[in-house]
Amino acid sequence: MKGCLIGASVILISLLSMYLALSGYYRGGFSYGTWINGIYCTGKSVNEANEELLSQCSYEGLAVHMGDGRFFTILPTEVDCTITFREPLTEFLENQNPYLWVDNLIGEGGQKELLPQVSYDEKLFEDKLKSFGITRRPRSKERVEIQKGDEGYFLVNERQDVFDEAQAREAIEDAFLSLETELDLREAGCYHNLPLTKEMEDTLKLWDKIAEWQDCGIIYQMGEEQVPIDTGAAGEFIKLDEAGNFVFDPQGNLCVDEEKIGAFVEELADRYDTVGASRQFQSTRGDIITVEGGIYGNEIDREAEKEYLLDAFVSRKREIHTPVYSKMAKEQGSDDIGDTYIEVDMTDQKLYYYVDGELVIETPVVTGNTSLRRGTPSGTNYVYAKQRNRTLRGPDYASFVKYWIPVCGNIGIHDASWRSTYGGEIYKRNGSHGCINTPHDEVSKLYEMVEVGTPCIMFY
């Protein structure tokens, strides 16, 4: 019995000695079973553990999304950033009792997650924030007002979705110190709607009326072109008094300015009316000709359109509208000639007829006698009739023709049985009274093919 006690004492003393020896060993380093951020640190000093943790701590910087589509990055090298685990490691080590290392065998006392200590150059950090508009300056008084620009009236509301710079700075600093890689300032709650005064609320109510007014759904169809009444044009239709203030009816609605409606129609007509207009024309002979005058073209009925637009706008119509024309060409829009037309080159004494851009007739002609001041006038005209077997009469002539295609007053394209040759310089000494004399076979083909309304471009 006595021997057993002595044996047990020896074992106990040996175990105690080992336990104390290990406790002494761990006094200079982390205790048995210590894991920090997934790294085994048992017996390691603060410096050794710090080096191990830094080796797995890679930080490439913070990407900041501003919430308005912009974003910027803060790189560690740009702000002289330093990262260390030394202080949190020291604190953790000091809180470990080397004589209680056995706790790590039966619990989780040795498992630890530590955040590093991050520092940076404050001036460089401040400069980086300033470069992206995040400053320490006091916020100005936010406005709610209606202004006018080239595209009509618009609202300036500085009380809505206001960027809180102070909160943003704090969020950015916290994210950088926490080594986060992404930060969305909108998700971080850095945008707010500020309370409104009674005057501001009234301004917003007025803006709702203006916004609805400027949302005009009328689109003018000008040939292949469309001219929408955009916010800029619709904004001009709002009536103002002499002081420039909005005018309201007894029900508190905005009033329409009829004069501005009329001015819009006048401007539209000036832009698209082409009767007698100067046109640039690509001639068959190769050069670009300026053709002025003539009776062909479009002419908007301005008074009818003013009545339409006033009614349509007040009624809030939404439609594609073709204007009323007092004179209407075969094509509408800026290019009212199109690809089907007659071309009379009076310098080269040639007539050409194009159908859908393809030349189908080319023939010499004889135009007005220039030596007798009967030269055929230039201009953009059109076929306004077709007649067979007619006698053309004038003060000193009566000429029977089989094909008569008038294009401008008493000037037309017709056959001339009394001629045997065409083209060249015949017109200078033996030309017509102003008409376009054309060989019988060619004018007969033209007569059968051409439609009334087809443009006829005549030039020297």
Side-chain angles (χ1 to χ4, degrees):
M1 183 71 176
K2 184 177 180 181
C4 291
L5 291 173
I6 293 173
S9 298
V10 170
I11 294 172
L12 182 62
I13 291 171
S14 298
L15 291 174
L16 181 61
S17 297
M18 292 174 59
Y19 185 87
L20 293 174
L22 285 173
S23 297
Y25 171 75
Y26 294 136
R27 182 183 298 275
F30 290 97
S31 183
Y32 175 84
T34 298
W35 291 80
I36 302 176
N37 294 1
I39 293 179
Y40 186 64
C41 294
T42 297
K44 293 180 181 178
S45 66
V46 167
N47 287 339
E48 291 170 336
N50 183 55
E51 292 299 323
E52 288 266 4
L53 291 174
L54 287 177
S55 67
Q56 73 166 16
C57 180
S58 175
Y59 186 49
E60 297 181 356
L62 176 66
V64 181
H65 298 267
M66 295 288 287
D68 57 4
R70 296 179 298 146
F71 79 96
F72 67 95
T73 57
I74 303 176
L75 302 178
T77 54
E78 294 177 319
V79 294
D80 287 350
C81 175
T82 58
I83 301 173
T84 181
F85 287 86
R86 188 169 283 106
E87 286 193 15
L89 284 171
T90 300
E91 182 180 355
F92 179 48
L93 180 61
E94 290 175 351
N95 289 330
Q96 276 192 330
N97 188 333
Y99 296 102
L100 299 179
W101 58 267
V102 72
D103 286 347
N104 293 345
L105 292 175
I106 58 177
E108 296 183 356
Q111 301 288 337
K112 189 69 174 178
E113 292 292 327
L114 294 179
L115 292 176
Q117 183 182 24
V118 181
S119 61
Y120 51 80
D121 186 304
E122 293 187 1
K123 183 179 184 309
L124 293 177
F125 200 86
E126 179 74 20
D127 291 343
K128 188 68 176 178
L129 296 183
K130 283 182 179 179
S131 69
F132 288 94
I134 302 176
T135 66
R136 295 183 183 275
R137 65 174 181 269
R139 196 164 58 202
S140 60
K141 184 177 180 180
E142 286 81 8
R143 303 169 296 162
V144 177
E145 61 186 34
I146 297 168
Q147 297 181 2
K148 188 177 183 184
D150 293 338
E151 298 181 2
Y153 292 95
F154 61 93
L155 177 69
V156 177
N157 186 354
E158 296 177 347
R159 308 287 293 180
Q160 188 175 33
D161 204 30
V162 178
F163 181 53
D164 189 328
E165 291 185 355
Q167 189 173 350
R169 293 177 63 87
E170 183 177 348
I172 293 171
E173 290 170 1
D174 289 346
F176 192 79
L177 290 174
S178 301
L179 301 183
E180 295 180 19
T181 57
E182 296 275 343
L183 174 64
D184 189 314
L185 294 180
R186 187 171 293 280
E187 292 180 0
C190 298
Y191 291 82
H192 310 278
N193 292 335
L194 304 181
L196 303 173
T197 65
K198 177 64 168 57
E199 182 181 0
M200 292 175 178
E201 290 176 349
D202 291 342
T203 300
L204 291 179
K205 290 178 182 178
L206 174 58
W207 168 247
D208 288 340
K209 294 180 180 180
I210 294 173
E212 181 182 4
W213 181 286
Q214 292 187 144
D215 181 23
C216 180
I218 301 171
I219 300 174
Y220 270 90
Q221 188 71 50
M222 312 300 295
E224 295 183 356
E225 303 173 53
Q226 289 189 335
V227 181
I229 298 182
D230 56 21
T231 55
E236 290 294 328
F237 298 165
I238 301 177
K239 190 170 185 177
L240 306 176
D241 60 21
E242 293 181 355
N245 300 313
F246 296 111
V247 177
F248 299 92
D249 64 15
Q251 289 74 42
N253 299 313
L254 295 166
C255 294
V256 65
D257 191 326
E258 295 187 24
E259 290 186 2
K260 293 297 180 63
I261 291 275
F264 177 86
V265 172
E266 291 288 341
E267 183 179 345
L268 183 73
D270 288 344
R271 178 178 171 186
Y272 286 97
D273 280 0
T274 56
V275 176
S278 176
R279 294 174 174 82
Q280 297 297 303
F281 177 75
Q282 177 65 60
S283 68
T284 301
R285 70 192 185 201
D287 54 347
I288 296 176
I289 304 297
T290 300
V291 183
E292 297 181 352
I295 62 173
Y296 177 79
N298 294 294
E299 190 170 84
I300 294 175
D301 186 330
R302 303 188 182 210
E303 294 308 314
E305 276 310 303
K306 290 175 185 178
E307 291 181 14
Y308 159 79
L309 184 54
L310 177 61
D311 175 71
F313 187 77
V314 172
S315 303
R316 311 305 299 166
K317 290 184 178 179
R318 306 186 74 86
E319 61 185 13
I320 297 176
H321 172 70
T322 299
V324 178
Y325 290 93
S326 55
K327 292 183 180 179
M328 197 169 185
K330 199 170 183 63
E331 305 283 346
Q332 283 67 57
S334 299
D335 179 14
D336 60 353
I337 293 175
D339 295 328
T340 299
Y341 57 87
I342 300 169
E343 173 186 348
V344 181
D345 184 337
M346 293 178 289
T347 296
D348 286 356
Q349 291 289 285
K350 286 287 191 69
L351 181 148
Y352 307 95
Y353 178 49
Y354 287 88
V355 177
D356 296 330
E358 181 181 353
L359 179 62
V360 295
I361 294 177
E362 177 180 354
T363 179
V365 293
V366 175
T367 61
N369 192 324
T370 54
S371 65
L372 297 179
R373 297 184 179 179
R374 294 174 179 169
T376 305
S378 61
T380 304
N381 302 299
Y382 69 99
V383 175
Y384 63 83
K386 291 165 63 176
Q387 217 171 5
R388 290 292 308 274
N389 302 321
R390 172 174 174 170
T391 299
L392 306 179
R393 299 182 184 279
D396 55 352
Y397 67 93
S399 303
F400 175 80
V401 298
K402 294 182 179 180
Y403 300 96
W404 170 240
I405 307 173
V407 294
C408 179
N410 60 357
I411 294 175
I413 304 168
H414 62 78
D415 55 296
S417 58
W418 55 92
R419 292 192 184 277
S420 58
T421 57
Y422 296 84
E425 297 187 348
I426 297 172
Y427 75 104
K428 292 183 178 181
R429 61 187 183 279
N430 188 26
S432 69
H433 287 82
C435 288
I436 303 153
N437 295 173
T438 308
H440 176 274
D441 290 348
E442 301 300 329
V443 74
S444 65
K445 289 192 294 184
L446 179 64
Y447 187 91
E448 293 300 325
M449 298 175 67
V450 75
E451 295 180 354
V452 172
T454 300
C456 180
I457 304 93
M458 304 152 63
F459 59 87
Y460 287 93

